[in-house]
Amino acid sequence: MKKTALITGASSGIGLACADLLAAAGYDLILTARRQERLEEIKLGLSAAHSVSVQTLQLDVRDKVQVREAFEKLEAPDVLINNAGLALGLSHFYAGDTNQWDTMIDTNVKGLLYVSRAMAEKMIARGSGHIVNIGSIAGKEVYENGNVYCASKHAVDALTRGMRIELAGKGVKVTGIHPGAVETEFSIVRFGGDVERAKKVYDGFENLVAADIADAVVWAVTRPEHVNINDIVIMPKAQPAAGVIHRKTT
Ligand code: NDP
Ligand code: 8X3
């Protein structure tokens, strides 16, 4: 029988790459993000390329009422990919912008919780499901100026481990996937739309691309039912630790 995957933050980057690869693997999709027009374009492309059904839902994961109402009538997907997230700014915490902190915590931590709460209930009722949380190397290590983003991704790591303990007895699998530097819109968002500054993040080394992460997601969710992939950390070869990148100078 066909499986369904619900992806948050499917309008760009890693979420979009997961949509691509899961559609190619025959999954029906429920794609969510705030930018509905992008989701509609993606739906057209994926429906034309693969024999899968694609549903879109405009959703801000920070809005708990919207999340609850949007998911009320949905059946539990086989796979939930909690991917929506962002970093804003790069500065010492004592010079940090408290509005940016709120947005990161509300999106990366509380948003992931609201979506997971709504979907886990349905998965438990059915007795099966798989939740994949996109964490980060910033959730395993900390780096200077990463403070609140790192804290939010450490929270994702803790929640992933907690969810696994609480859901294993209910037939629901939980996987954490933690990437290092992936070139997406992530740094453009982090630097408030400054494309030139964002490009420099990936100068002089071979960064990961979104498909590298989606490949791991698809692998994790297609293991036999009795196998749970707990945790995957994926780094560029040139990035041995969160704050260390070996760049070639020309
Ligand atoms: P992108 O900026 O390309 O994609 C982020 C996605 O999140 C977009 O689809 C965006 O959609 C969505 N999103 C952001 N805020 C919200 C919100 N409030 N409600 C719903 N959707 C939202 O970045 P990435 O693909 O790189 O990021 C995806 C995940 O991967 C994030 O959790 C990020 O922290 C994590 N990650 C990224 C790494 C990297 O180096 N790029 C490394 C490690 C982890 P829209 O704006 O349309 O709502
Ligand atoms: C994104 C990777 O190193 O910019 O989560 O924090 S990093």
Side-chain angles (χ1 to χ4, degrees):
M1 210 172 77
K2 251 195 172 161
K3 293 200 168 182
T4 305
L6 188 157
I7 306 169
T8 67
S11 61
S12 164
I14 294 169
L16 172 55
C18 288
D20 271 337
L21 292 197
L22 285 167
Y27 279 72
D28 286 335
L29 298 173
I30 304 165
L31 306 180
T32 79
R34 292 166 301 177
R35 287 171 291 179
Q36 177 68 20
E37 65 294 348
R38 278 208 188 187
L39 293 180
E40 288 306 321
E41 268 176 41
I42 292 162
K43 173 182 174 169
L44 281 178
L46 290 178
S47 312
H50 308 283
S51 320
V52 294
S53 113
V54 182
Q55 191 182 334
T56 65
L57 264 181
Q58 185 171 30
L59 188 69
D60 185 332
V61 296
R62 293 170 296 176
D63 184 334
K64 65 178 158 195
V65 175
Q66 203 187 34
V67 169
R68 199 180 53 234
E69 288 177 358
F71 292 160
E72 228 155 38
K73 292 195 185 71
L74 275 188
E75 277 184 28
D78 297 285
V79 175
L80 162 63
I81 302 171
N82 276 316
N83 163 75
L86 79 178
L88 292 174
L90 198 58
S91 63
H92 288 151
F93 82 92
Y94 49 79
D97 176 330
T98 55
N99 290 324
Q100 294 186 333
W101 296 355
D102 289 344
T103 304
M104 285 188 275
I105 293 167
D106 288 349
T107 309
N108 301 353
V109 184
K110 291 163 73 180
L112 178 142
L113 274 170
Y114 298 150
V115 173
S116 303
R117 170 84 170 79
M119 285 298 126
E121 230 177 5
K122 291 171 188 265
M123 289 176 172
I124 290 167
R126 192 186 50 203
S128 70
H130 195 158
I131 298 176
V132 179
N133 291 334
I134 306 299
S136 170
I137 189 63
K140 299 287 189 183
E141 302 170 21
V142 292
Y143 54 89
E144 189 172 11
N145 295 320
N147 44 70
V148 175
Y149 178 67
C150 293
S152 75
K153 289 297 187 177
H154 273 69
V156 171
D157 191 33
L159 286 169
T160 303
R161 287 182 277 138
M163 285 178 185
R164 188 178 307 122
I165 292 167
E166 293 174 13
L167 290 174
K170 309 287 182 193
V172 179
K173 307 205 265 190
V174 181
T175 297
I177 298 200
H178 306 274
V182 189
E183 188 168 8
T184 59
E185 293 177 19
F186 178 84
S187 292
I188 299 173
V189 171
R190 175 171 238 171
F191 299 132
D194 185 339
V195 175
E196 285 313 306
R197 188 174 175 200
K199 264 199 199 126
K200 289 198 176 74
V201 173
Y202 310 103
D203 270 357
F205 77 107
E206 193 169 352
N207 53 263
L208 297 172
V209 295
D212 295 323
I213 312 309
D215 188 35
V217 170
V218 173
W219 180 75
V221 301
T222 52
R223 292 313 85 210
E225 186 53 29
H226 68 285
V227 177
N228 189 73
I229 304 302
N230 282 6
D231 215 37
I232 307 180
V233 177
I234 311 173
M235 302 294 282
K237 185 177 172 187
Q239 186 186 16
V244 182
I245 294 181
H246 294 284
R247 298 176 198 268
K248 289 198 179 88
T249 46
T250 46

